[in-house]
Amino acid sequence: MWLSLIQGVGTGAGLIIAIGAQNAFVLSKGLRRQHVWWVAGICALCDAVLIGLGVMGLGALIAQSEGAMLLARYGGATFLAWQAWLAIGRVRRPRGMDVASSASSASLAQVVLATLAVTLLNPQVYLDTLVMLGAIGSLQESPVGFYVGATIASFVWFFGLVSAAGALAPRLKSPRAWQWVDGIIAVIMLLVAWQLVTLTV
């Protein structure tokens, strides 16, 4: 049980912490202080559900469906390209950040929908949670222990990420700093979108 739990923490952290579109989105919301606990909670809960389904064997079935993977791939690439376009627009029209005004600039509904979209329209999330973590977890001596460990890694990472971003936000008041932040976010989004489009199914 404990060995599987430790392996779940390590494997889950290794896959979830890797820089990608979802982490860039979470970091962006954290820096802007836009409903950060909702963002972290939604990402962590989605991971918990998907990892659980993967451990129970659903991931293997989805990976065999070419149509489902194609739909997720191109839908995800379109959404990520749109997010990159928005970030590029902010690079072209930079402005410093007032933490209080930034936090109130997006409604909870908008942030929740965007978080669900960047999570559930991103095939990399399914590959990491349903397929990879699911496959590894199902082979453990204690799949439940592995699931608990991987879920703990997800919760610690996302809540830690928004907390760290919140501490950093007051230091990013200049327009030039935000040009760098949004530029990096745009590049990450475009790279992931390109990888999805050129991926061989």
Side-chain angles (χ1 to χ4, degrees), residues 24-91:
F25 174 86
V26 173
L27 179 61
S28 174
K29 293 303 178 186
L31 289 170
R32 290 181 169 83
R33 307 302 295 159
Q34 293 178 341
H35 307 288
V36 293
W37 305 120
W38 281 89
V39 172
I42 289 169
C43 290
L45 286 173
C46 285
D47 273 3
V49 172
L50 293 174
I51 294 169
L53 292 174
V55 170
M56 291 189 295
L58 182 60
L61 295 177
I62 293 178
Q64 295 173 1
S65 173
E66 182 176 344
M69 294 304 294
L70 282 174
L71 179 62
R73 188 175 81 177
Y74 287 106
T78 300
F79 178 79
L80 294 176
W82 176 60
Q83 288 289 316
W85 176 255
L86 294 179
I88 290 170
R90 293 192 296 269
V91 171

Side-chain angles (χ1 to χ4, degrees), residues 4 32 34 37 45-46 61 64-65 71 94 102 108 115 121 125 141 150 158 161 176 179 200:
S4 295
R32 290 181 169 83
Q34 293 178 341
W37 305 120
L45 286 173
C46 285
L61 295 177
Q64 295 173 1
S65 173
L71 179 62
S102 178
L108 176 59
T115 305
L121 292 179
V125 171
E141 180 179 346
F158 286 119
L161 184 60
R176 176 63 66 181
Q179 277 187 308
T200 301

